[in-house]
């Protein structure tokens, strides 16, 4: 282990800050693309946690890393679908404002 | 004898082939149907010969069967039971059914649904043959219902006529009342004895000690035959069944359907004989039905209706014979009756064809000149049913009256004898009105084709000689078909002479009223003298139909109306209430569906937070709330 040891706490702190920023953005931003980006932030916060705990708890296994790769893959697919939906909505409505996207209610 | 299973199977196959494949080719269908029934007759004839050669079958019937159903505690073997009784029935049913089908070639010529008619006739025959040959009561019940369904389809064959449809429904519903009792009886037998095999029951029932229980079962059981065989008070469907084509009436009345009930009682006589009160009931129902129906028959005007009431009356005789304990006499009458009643029905059909379906006997007359074969064969039938020796009816009716007297039922004997007089009277009233006397100038009758008259002649032959196998001097019948130990019959001369005189007296009275007296003034005067009221009561069949209709309208409809209200307000109320609740719940909950994505996301987040908090503060117990596995 290097001299300048980074403790697990640092990782958890970084991840929670990242998650909080992402959550705040996802709940408050009106721009749908910004919301998607915020969701990516939240997912990456989780990834950091996964890798950090894998590194400290079971260094000989790669479970967390593999999990993180899965999360990235799924996130990429999800963003692809989400962007496609948003682009389609934009073509019909000329808007990416989430407040305009309320026609799925009764 | 081991090929008896073919006898019911052939007509059943013919039904399948006709209805699935050859419906379009009329004559091919008819040929298949007749061919199957005639082949069945040939096999049945060989079976009969085989049974005659093996007297051991009388007490130990030949049974062979397959496992049909098998469940823990409930096994049903379906198969064939052969003894002289079933062999005789197979022979008689196939013979009469074959003749009737051949006759139908002529009668049904040019009718719509010619092939379908033959298909139904085949199925009817198949059901009856299975019923006769069944070794198991459940199997018998299936065939019993098959007979019911076929009669429904055939009575309602002219389904463009409202009256035919009504009659079919009436027949089905009325017999169903009896069938319910029969089914309950079957269930009780299965529960009590654990088997429905007739041979096993014959071993177990006579040893059964709980007499009141057995009485209940037997009475329930008897309801089935009362419905099917048209005994009082469930006889009302039988006269209406005349709505079907005449060959159907002949088949229903002579060979199938109505004799099914008699056959069932005879088959289960070991059960009835164990409970004397039920035997009394059978005898009295039979005796009462006999005189009751005969008295109605005197006043009826339609030729087929007279014959229908005559059938009810004669079936009553059979029940009387069984009820006084004589299997031999009851079935002897069934055997002879099949021939002369089929003969008379087919003769009536021939008359109806000749007169273009004019059925009122008062509008006929003098037909003997134009339709000699029909008339002569009909007269043979009339002599047979009136009990004039040596025709068939004399021997069988004599046997029944003899058995009744011998068993000490004097009242029933008097009723039976008086009925014999009435029978001769009403049958000959019909014959004189139809075939003798003045010709009605409106009618232009002509003799029916050979295809119809040949069956008539064959049946006339059987009506003449069928009784000779059961005379006191040469009693083949009684030796093979009897219940308990065989007692050789003794010629009872006073009774035989008395029977003949009663029959002759009936014929003479009919002659006086309806033939000698050309204008029928005496008949009309007698009708007046009897009092218009009595005549009306008889003519309207004791108003039983009206009574049933009243019961139907007041009671059944009343209950139905109550049920209707219950349905509307309670059942529908519950259903509508559930619906209304769902709608209201949706109204309340829909305010939460804002359609705003970020609201939903916030709720998700709060939910996850709540789960997290719960996990953090309650430790492992949290999984209880969250539905996890402990």
């Amino acid at each position: 282990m290097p001299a300048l040891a980074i403790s697990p706490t640092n990782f958890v702190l970084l991840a929670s800050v990242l998650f909080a920023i992402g959550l705040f953005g996802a709940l408050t931003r009106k721009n749908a693309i910004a919301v998607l980006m915020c969701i990516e932030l939240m997912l990456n916060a989780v990834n950091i946690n996964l890798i950090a705990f894998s590194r400290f708890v079971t260094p000989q296994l790669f479970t967390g890393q593999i999990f993180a790769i899965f999360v990235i893959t799924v996130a990429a697919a999800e963003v692809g679908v989400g962007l496609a939906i948003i682009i389609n909505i934009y073509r019909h409505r000329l808007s990416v404002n989430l407040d305009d996207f309320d026609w799925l209610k009764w | 004898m081991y090929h008896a299973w073919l006898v019911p199977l052939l007509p059943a196959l013919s039904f399948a082939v006709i209805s699935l494949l050859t419906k379009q080719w009329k004559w091919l269908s008819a040929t298949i149907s007749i061919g199957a029934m005639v082949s069945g007759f040939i096999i049945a004839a060989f079976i009969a010969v085989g049974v005659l050669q093996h007297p051991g079958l009388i007490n130990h019937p030949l049974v062979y069967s397959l496992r049909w159903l098998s469940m823990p505690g409930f096994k049903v073997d379906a198969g064939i039971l052969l003894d002289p009784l079933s062999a005789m029935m197979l022979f008689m049913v196939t013979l009469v059914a074959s003749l009737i089908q051949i006759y139908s070639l002529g009668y049904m010529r040019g009718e719509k649904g010619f092939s379908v008619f033959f298909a139904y006739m085949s199925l009817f025959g198949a059901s009856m043959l299975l019923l006769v040959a069944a070794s198991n009561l459940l199997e018998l019940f299936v065939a019993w219902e098959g007979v019911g369904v076929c009669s429904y389809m055939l009575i309602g064959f002219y389904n463009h006529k409202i009256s035919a449809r009504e009659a079919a429904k009436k027949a089905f519903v009325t017999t169903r009342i009896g069938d319910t009792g029969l089914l309950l009886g079957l269930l009780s037998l299965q529960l009590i004895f654990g088997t429905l095999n007739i041979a096993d029951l014959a071993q177990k029932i006579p040893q059964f000690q709980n007499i009141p229980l057995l009485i209940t079962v037997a009475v329930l059981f008897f309801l089935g035959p009362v419905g099917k065989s048209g005994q009082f008070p469930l006889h009302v469907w039988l006269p209406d069944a005349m709505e079907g084509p005449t060959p159907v009436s002949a088949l229903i009345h002579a060979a199938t359907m109505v004799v099914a009930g008699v056959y069932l009682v005879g088959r289960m006589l070991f059960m009835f004989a164990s409970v004397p009160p039920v035997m009394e009931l059978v005898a009295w129902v039979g005796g009462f039905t006999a005189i009751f129906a005969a008295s109605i028959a005197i006043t009826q005007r339609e030729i087929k209706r007279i014959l229908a009431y005559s059938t009810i009356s004669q079936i009553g005789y059979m029940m009387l014979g069984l009820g006084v304990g004589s299997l031999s006499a009851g079935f002897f009458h069934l055997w002879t009756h099949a021939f002369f009643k089929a003969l008379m029905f087919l003769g009536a059909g021939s008359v109806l064809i000749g007169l273009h379906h004019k059925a009122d006997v008062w509008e006929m007359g003098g037909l003997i000149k134009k339709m000699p074969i029909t008339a002569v064969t009909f007269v043979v039938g009339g002599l047979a049913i009136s009990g004039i020796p040596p025709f068939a009816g004399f021997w069988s009716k004599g046997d029944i009256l003899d058995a009744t007297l011998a068993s000490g039922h004097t009242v029933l004997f008097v009723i039976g004898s008086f009925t014999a007089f009435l029978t001769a009277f009403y049958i000959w009233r019909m014959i004189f009105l139809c075939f003798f006397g003045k010709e009605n100038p409106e009618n232009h009758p002509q003799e029916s084709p050979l295809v119809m008259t040949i069956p008539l002649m064959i049946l006339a032959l059987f009506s003449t000689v069928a009784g000779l196998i059961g005379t006191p001097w040469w009693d083949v019948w009684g030796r093979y078909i009897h219940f308990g130990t065989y007692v050789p019959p003794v010629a009872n001369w006073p009774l035989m002479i008395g029977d003949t005189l009663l029959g002759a007296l009936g014929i003479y009275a009919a002659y006086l009223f309806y033939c000698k007296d050309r204008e029928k003034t005496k008949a009309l005067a007698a009708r007046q003298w009897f009092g218009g009221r009595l005549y009306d009561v008889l003519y309207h069949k004791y108003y039983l139909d009206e009574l049933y209709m009243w019961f139907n309208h007041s009671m059944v409809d009343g209950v139905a109306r109550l049920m209707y209200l219950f349905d509307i307000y309670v059942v529908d109320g519950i259903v509508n209430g559930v619906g209304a609740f769902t709608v209201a719940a949706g109204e309340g909950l829909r305010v939460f569906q804002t359609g705003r994505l970020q609201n939903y996301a916030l709720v998700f987040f709060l939910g996850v937070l709540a789960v997290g908090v719960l996990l953090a503060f309650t430790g492992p117990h949290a999984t209880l709330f969250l539905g996890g596995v402990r």
Side-chain angles (χ1 to χ4, degrees):
Chain A
M1 210 164 280
L4 187 65
I6 305 174
S7 71
T9 325
N10 300 93
F11 286 102
V12 175
L13 269 178
L14 172 64
S16 33
V17 168
L18 216 52
F19 189 86
I21 294 172
L23 181 67
F24 178 76
L27 291 183
T28 53
R29 295 300 299 255
K30 295 300 170 197
N31 189 317
I33 296 178
V35 170
L36 271 185
M37 287 158 67
C38 291
I39 291 173
E40 287 304 303
L41 272 186
M42 286 153 77
L43 286 168
N44 279 325
V46 174
N47 283 346
I48 287 174
N49 263 353
L50 283 170
I51 292 171
F53 280 104
S54 173
R55 170 90 166 72
F56 287 104
V57 180
T58 57
Q60 67 275 29
L61 297 174
F62 291 96
T63 327
Q65 281 89 330
I66 292 171
F67 232 104
I69 289 172
F70 271 106
V71 172
I72 291 167
T73 318
V74 172
E78 174 233 308
V79 167
V81 174
L83 269 180
I85 293 174
I86 290 170
I87 289 170
N88 256 320
I89 293 173
Y90 179 74
R91 282 187 184 152
H92 284 283
R93 298 254 162 161
L94 292 180
S95 159
V96 288
N97 190 342
L98 276 180
D99 286 347
D100 297 339
F101 296 180
D102 62 350
W103 66 94
L104 261 186
K105 70 175 179 180
W106 43 274
Chain B
M1 285 199 293
Y2 286 92
H3 298 294
W5 53 277
L6 276 172
V7 181
L9 188 65
L10 283 174
L13 280 180
S14 132
F15 166 72
V17 169
I18 294 174
S19 45
L20 294 178
L21 300 173
T22 67
K23 223 177 193 168
Q24 278 119 42
W25 303 288
K26 289 179 168 187
W27 295 107
L28 182 61
S29 307
T31 316
I32 292 174
S33 173
I34 293 173
M37 197 50 90
V38 171
S39 323
F41 168 66
I42 294 169
I43 299 172
F46 278 109
I47 292 170
V49 172
V51 168
L52 285 180
Q53 284 166 352
H54 295 87
L57 288 176
I58 299 168
N59 292 321
H60 303 285
L62 172 68
V63 180
Y64 53 97
S65 55
L66 296 168
R67 179 58 46 90
W68 178 19
L69 292 174
S70 181
M71 283 178 251
F74 180 63
K75 291 187 177 54
V76 181
D77 297 326
I80 301 288
L81 183 145
L82 265 190
D83 63 355
L85 194 64
S86 55
M88 177 280 287
M89 290 294 286
L90 287 177
F91 181 84
M92 185 277 282
V93 172
T94 49
L95 173 60
V96 173
S98 302
L99 291 174
I100 290 174
Q101 290 200 1
I102 293 170
Y103 173 94
S104 309
L105 280 179
Y107 189 89
M108 298 300 287
R109 178 194 296 268
E111 295 267 2
K112 249 202 292 181
F114 188 80
S115 305
V116 178
F117 177 80
F118 275 96
Y120 289 167
M121 290 290 260
S122 286
L123 190 61
F124 205 0
S127 310
M128 185 64 195
L129 291 167
L130 181 65
L131 191 154
V132 165
S135 70
N136 185 291
L137 286 178
L138 196 63
E139 186 190 355
L140 187 148
F141 187 72
V142 170
W144 179 274
E145 295 298 338
V147 171
V149 170
C150 294
S151 69
Y152 169 78
M153 295 192 291
L154 283 169
I155 293 169
F157 188 74
Y158 295 132
N159 51 20
H160 53 89
K161 275 171 38 187
I162 293 176
S163 56
R165 294 203 295 266
E166 291 295 324
K169 260 190 287 181
K170 189 171 174 182
F172 199 68
V173 172
T174 313
T175 51
R176 185 126 307 272
I177 296 172
D179 292 353
T180 311
L182 176 61
L183 189 57
L184 289 176
L186 283 184
L187 291 176
S188 329
L189 282 182
Q190 170 69 35
L191 286 178
I192 300 171
F193 296 102
T195 178
L196 286 175
N197 284 343
I198 294 169
D200 295 344
L201 286 174
Q203 301 288 326
K204 289 183 180 172
I205 287 184
Q207 267 123 50
F208 192 62
Q209 295 302 327
N210 192 344
I211 295 298
L213 185 59
L214 200 56
I215 288 180
T216 320
V217 175
V219 168
L220 282 174
F221 218 87
F222 185 54
L223 277 180
V226 166
K228 208 64 142 193
S229 291
Q231 296 297 291
F232 181 84
L234 295 181
H235 64 278
V236 289
W237 66 271
L238 199 50
D240 286 20
M242 296 300 109
E243 289 295 338
T246 308
V248 174
S249 312
L251 198 56
I252 288 181
H253 284 250
T256 63
M257 188 86 184
V258 293
V259 298
V262 181
Y263 179 76
L264 184 63
V265 174
R267 186 41 94 206
M268 298 300 288
L269 198 61
F270 53 83
M271 176 173 80
F272 290 101
S274 324
V275 278
V278 185
M279 286 292 266
E280 287 294 306
L281 177 71
V282 174
W284 277 97
V285 166
F288 178 71
T289 307
I291 192 164
F292 173 79
S295 66
I296 296 176
I298 291 178
T299 57
Q300 297 301 305
R301 299 173 69 103
E302 267 179 59
I303 182 165
K304 282 170 75 181
R305 254 173 210 282
I306 301 174
L307 288 173
Y309 280 105
S310 157
T311 303
I312 298 175
S313 168
Q314 300 299 313
I315 301 275
Y317 263 121
M318 298 172 203
M319 286 293 183
L320 172 63
L322 293 175
V324 297
S326 175
L327 183 71
S328 176
F331 271 78
F332 198 30
H333 199 54
L334 190 156
W335 159 260
T336 57
H337 173 258
F339 296 118
F340 58 71
K341 189 48 66 65
L343 167 63
M344 285 200 281
F345 262 111
L346 296 186
S350 175
V351 169
L352 291 179
I353 289 279
L355 295 182
H356 304 289
H357 295 274
K358 185 188 282 183
D360 191 337
V361 286
W362 284 93
E363 294 176 14
M364 303 177 185
L367 292 180
I368 194 165
K369 284 173 202 139
K370 299 283 171 57
M371 311 179 77
I373 305 178
T374 307
V376 169
T377 50
F378 207 100
V379 165
V380 170
L383 288 172
I385 199 175
S386 312
I388 303 297
F391 293 97
F394 168 73
W395 306 105
S396 54
K397 203 178 284 180
D399 276 2
I400 289 177
L401 293 178
D402 196 12
T404 312
L405 194 60
S407 64
H409 294 82
T410 323
V411 181
L412 280 172
F413 171 74
V414 172
I415 290 178
S417 305
F418 185 61
T419 307
F421 166 75
L422 287 180
T423 307
F425 181 74
Y426 68 71
I427 287 290
W428 282 88
R429 161 181 179 266
M430 177 173 73
I431 292 177
F432 285 130
L433 286 175
C434 273
F435 296 106
F436 298 95
K438 270 193 312 190
E439 283 184 63
N440 188 338
E442 290 170 23
N443 297 334
H444 304 287
Q446 57 187 50
E447 185 59 281
S448 304
L450 275 182
V451 71
M452 288 165 74
T453 47
I454 287 179
L456 287 180
M457 290 188 258
I458 299 176
L459 284 170
L461 176 73
F462 272 94
S463 304
T464 314
V465 301
L468 298 179
I469 59 171
T471 65
W473 302 280
W474 195 59
D475 190 24
V476 182
W477 183 273
R479 228 181 309 142
Y480 279 91
I481 295 178
H482 56 80
F483 181 71
T485 50
Y486 174 56
V487 186
V490 192
N492 188 345
W493 284 106
L495 189 68
M496 283 160 78
I497 294 168
D499 281 353
T500 316
L501 282 181
L502 273 176
L505 193 65
I507 296 175
Y508 183 64
Y511 173 75
L512 278 187
F513 279 125
Y514 297 103
C515 187
K516 188 161 174 247
D517 180 9
R518 293 258 147 177
E519 301 304 318
K520 276 90 182 172
T521 44
K522 272 191 204 157
L524 296 174
R527 190 191 291 179
Q528 289 302 321
W529 181 78
F530 256 121
R533 281 202 103 75
L534 181 62
Y535 181 84
D536 279 350
V537 168
L538 291 180
Y539 185 71
H540 289 106
K541 312 144 210 166
Y542 295 94
Y543 295 101
L544 260 189
D545 273 330
E546 282 76 3
L547 180 70
Y548 287 171
M549 283 318 280
W550 172 82
F551 179 79
N552 203 357
H553 283 309
S554 58
M555 298 291 163
V556 180
D557 286 1
V559 173
R561 190 153 299 125
L562 271 181
M563 291 295 165
Y564 173 70
L565 293 178
F566 181 81
D567 183 49
I568 296 199
Y569 289 109
V570 180
V571 179
D572 287 4
I574 292 173
V575 174
N576 291 341
V578 170
F581 173 76
T582 311
V583 169
E587 285 291 332
L589 288 174
R590 79 178 195 180
V591 295
F592 293 107
Q593 192 189 0
T594 57
R596 302 177 71 109
L597 207 56
Q598 283 163 330
N599 281 356
Y600 300 164
L602 184 61
V603 173
F604 284 177
F605 175 67
L606 291 178
V608 173
L609 204 64
V611 171
V613 169
L614 212 61
L615 275 175
F617 288 97
T618 55
H621 300 293
T623 47
L624 280 181
F625 299 104
L626 300 172
V629 183
R630 261 179 291 177

